[in-house]
Amino acid sequence: MNYSIVVLPSFFLKVKKLAKKYQKIKYDLAELNKELKNNPKAGIPLQYNCYKIRVVNSSVPTGKSGGFRVVYYIIDKNNKIYLLSIYSKTQKENLSDGELLELLKLNGLDRWANIYNQNLKCFRYLSQNSNNTQDFHLYLWV
């Protein structure tokens, strides 16, 4: 499946700030682009169909563990990956659930996140209370 990557304003502004300190960030993001196109779900799953992936910071020789974190959102139905945010691991440890939801709202993606969460809750309920796997398909992406 071929996914297109959409850079959102929130992501672009953070990259612009980071580029002042880390001059090789554009090369690091080019590698991320290739990785996400090959495997859109390569990152660690977060809530609301968002993922967080580690990216090497080639401006500082620390590898992925001390590099950047990119938070992105996937809409499988539209084959789109939305880049939400990027931060340096040295500047921020983690992104809270509230911050994640705020990023989605800021970029107008909270509607999709709410639909995803509702479907996920239905799926979990059905998987616990039903023996018929065909029931699952009735509730997914209604």
Side-chain angles (χ1 to χ4, degrees):
M1 203 165 280
N2 197 9
Y3 282 81
S4 61
I5 296 176
V6 179
V7 175
L8 295 172
S10 59
F11 183 83
F12 179 77
L13 292 173
K14 296 215 180 209
V15 168
K16 201 171 173 182
K17 278 185 182 178
L18 288 169
K20 292 176 185 174
K21 187 173 180 180
Y22 307 109
Q23 288 78 27
K24 296 180 181 178
I25 193 170
K26 63 181 176 183
Y27 302 111
D28 302 331
L29 293 177
E31 288 300 315
L32 173 68
N33 187 25
K34 290 177 195 172
E35 188 173 353
L36 288 179
K37 286 198 174 197
N38 287 336
N39 183 8
K41 296 183 180 181
I44 299 166
L46 304 172
Q47 289 190 3
Y48 313 112
N49 212 26
C50 292
Y51 292 81
K52 177 175 71 173
I53 192 166
R54 298 179 346 170
V55 178
V56 172
N57 180 351
S58 52
S59 299
V60 180
T62 57
K64 283 187 176 183
S65 62
F68 302 112
R69 301 297 180 266
V70 172
V71 179
Y72 61 99
Y73 176 71
I74 298 177
I75 299 181
D76 284 325
K77 188 175 178 180
N78 299 342
N79 295 337
K80 294 203 187 258
I81 299 171
Y82 295 92
L83 300 179
L84 293 170
S85 184
I86 183 172
Y87 56 92
S88 173
K89 183 67 173 177
T90 59
Q91 295 173 342
K92 187 174 180 83
E93 200 55 36
N94 284 315
L95 201 64
S96 71
D97 293 340
E99 289 173 308
L100 182 60
L101 190 55
E102 191 60 36
L103 272 172
L104 290 168
K105 285 180 182 177
L106 178 70
N107 291 291
L109 296 169
D110 56 322
R111 178 180 159 268
W112 288 104
N114 288 334
I115 290 170
Y116 172 78
N117 258 11
Q118 289 169 359
N119 287 332
L120 188 60
K121 286 176 188 172
C122 287
F123 182 79
R124 285 182 184 147
Y125 173 79
L126 286 172
S127 65
Q128 293 168 354
N129 299 308
S130 176
N131 294 330
N132 186 356
T133 57
Q134 290 181 349
D135 291 345
F136 297 152
H137 302 291
L138 298 175
Y139 290 96
L140 296 175
W141 294 105
V142 174

